[in-house]
Amino acid sequence: MTESFHRSGEYQNPYEGQQQAPVNPEWPPPPAYAPAHAPHPKKRGRGPLALIAAVAIVAAAIGGGTAYGIQELTGSDTVASSSTSTNVVPSSQKGTVAGVAKAVSPSIVEISATSNAGSSTGSGVIITSGGEIVTNNHVVAGASRIKVTTSDGKSYTAKVVGTDSKKDLALIKLENASGLKAATLGDSAGIQVGDQVVAIGSPEGLSGTVTSGIVSALDRDVTVPTEEGQDQGQQQWGQGQGQGDQWPFEFGGRQFNGDTGSDTTTYKALQTDASLNPGNSGGALIDMNGNIIGINSAMYSPTSQASSSSDAGSVGLGFAIPINTVKADLAKLRAGSTD
């Protein structure tokens, strides 16, 4: 370590070249008198004060990642949001599908929408205790009546607050609801291919269905219609209970589950092999800590016609809108957007 004392402007060993008693090379003795050239004062910035500042910064970063970020809404409603990954699941069940299901299922609802085209069943995620729910635009587009059933069997009437067809997102609000369990919105930017995930929704009206899998791919360009009943789409997905959310979509130049029509929009999606079926749209894709990382939006069915359900079912190709996209869109939806 002696070479570290020979930089310009720093202490020179006055005993250099003289015979000295052996010392621990990792702990040189103090000089007999003050050095002729004291170290530059700025060097002390790397000492204890700098270390304390660095620790404070790290602590702030950790605190910001684990604490809920609260957004004020109309009235007393708040939405819980995590910038990284908050442990919603109890430590005794951390990392288990059962733990995720128990912690998050109360925040997932079944949505029944009725329109002139028929009726459909989808899912939604409660984001405030007062009954704000995020779902897909295609689940409620054109609906004249919306009924929502919570995990404990209670039914509510809901109204559309705002929609964004370009992102296939909608915000609805329950009437006369309070004390609901809001989900925690995570951070989809930290998701990696291979991460384990859980999907919760109401496929074919079977509310509270839980499936699991992994994230299969990131940033998939999924193309969907922007309007209800687009061209031939209405005949293919708009008829019959449970069929309304088997949304036609396009990927890689091919169309699935029907004709997407001429007016479409494309968004970046998370791909998962967690089983998704008609009715899962608008439901949650969840990490193993219980944070919502995506809103399930599209699934591939081996049948080209949604009305032919004999062969329909999950083949492990599902897509979800990243939750960061949802969070960035919330202000617009709350403002009553009808895009």
Side-chain angles (χ1 to χ4, degrees):
M1 286 186 62
T2 54
E3 64 269 19
S4 64
F5 287 82
H6 289 281
R7 291 192 297 270
S8 176
E10 296 189 353
Y11 167 61
Q12 302 292 330
N13 188 350
Y15 296 101
E16 186 171 335
Q18 301 180 23
Q19 185 174 0
Q20 304 176 51
V23 296
N24 185 345
E26 296 301 319
W27 192 262
Y33 54 87
H37 300 285
H40 196 283
K42 290 186 177 180
K43 291 291 184 178
R44 298 192 61 82
R46 299 184 181 273
L49 290 179
L51 177 60
I52 292 173
V55 171
I57 292 172
V58 172
I62 294 174
T66 57
Y68 289 165
I70 301 301
Q71 293 181 330
E72 293 298 332
L73 311 177
T74 302
S76 60
D77 287 346
T78 56
V79 57
S81 177
S82 171
S83 61
T84 53
S85 185
T86 300
N87 290 325
V88 179
V89 180
S91 57
S92 61
Q93 294 183 301
K94 183 179 178 181
T96 67
V97 174
V100 173
K102 184 176 181 180
V104 184
S105 287
S107 302
I108 312 302
V109 301
E110 178 183 324
I111 299 174
S112 298
T114 303
S115 68
N116 293 334
S119 60
S120 64
T121 301
S123 306
V125 179
I126 300 171
I127 62 169
T128 65
S129 60
E132 280 194 327
I133 293 172
V134 170
T135 186
N136 289 139
N137 176 63
H138 73 256
V139 171
V140 298
S144 56
R145 181 175 181 273
I146 302 173
K147 175 185 175 183
V148 173
T149 305
T150 56
S151 63
D152 58 3
K154 294 182 179 179
S155 294
Y156 297 86
T157 299
K159 292 187 179 299
V160 174
V161 176
T163 61
D164 188 344
S165 60
K166 291 181 174 58
K167 294 184 176 67
D168 195 16
L169 291 172
L171 182 69
I172 65 175
K173 178 72 181 290
L174 304 185
E175 296 182 344
N176 302 316
S178 62
L180 302 179
K181 183 175 181 180
T184 299
L185 308 185
D187 181 5
S188 51
I191 300 303
Q192 301 182 53
V193 173
D195 283 352
Q196 289 185 299
V197 289
V198 173
I200 304 179
S202 300
E204 303 293 355
L206 301 173
S207 60
T209 296
V210 178
T211 58
S212 64
I214 63 169
V215 173
S216 304
L218 306 174
D219 298 325
R220 291 296 200 196
D221 288 322
V222 175
T223 300
V224 298
T226 57
E227 297 294 338
E228 136 196 57
Q230 190 67 242
D231 295 340
Q232 301 176 22
Q234 180 170 317
Q235 286 73 43
Q236 295 180 349
W237 60 263
Q239 303 292 332
Q241 180 71 21
Q243 301 301 326
D245 83 314
Q246 194 163 340
W247 193 240
F249 70 95
E250 178 182 330
F251 176 74
R254 300 174 60 195
Q255 293 185 348
F256 303 96
N257 305 337
D259 187 353
T260 56
S262 59
D263 192 0
T264 61
T265 185
T266 301
Y267 57 80
K268 298 287 186 181
L270 301 174
Q271 182 181 329
T272 180
D273 69 350
S275 179
L276 302 181
N277 288 286
N280 270 112
S281 281
L285 191 66
I286 313 156
D287 69 17
M288 300 308 291
N289 287 326
N291 300 278
I292 311 299
I293 59 167
I295 299 296
N296 299 321
S297 57
M299 46 80 64
Y300 166 68
S301 172
T303 62
S304 60
Q305 299 288 330
S307 59
S308 302
S309 58
S310 59
D311 296 327
S314 174
V315 293
L317 292 174
F319 302 92
I321 301 168
I323 202 62
N324 285 6
T325 300
V326 178
K327 291 193 289 187
D329 212 34
L330 275 179
K332 178 180 178 180
L333 295 173
R334 290 192 179 110
S337 168
T338 55
D339 292 350

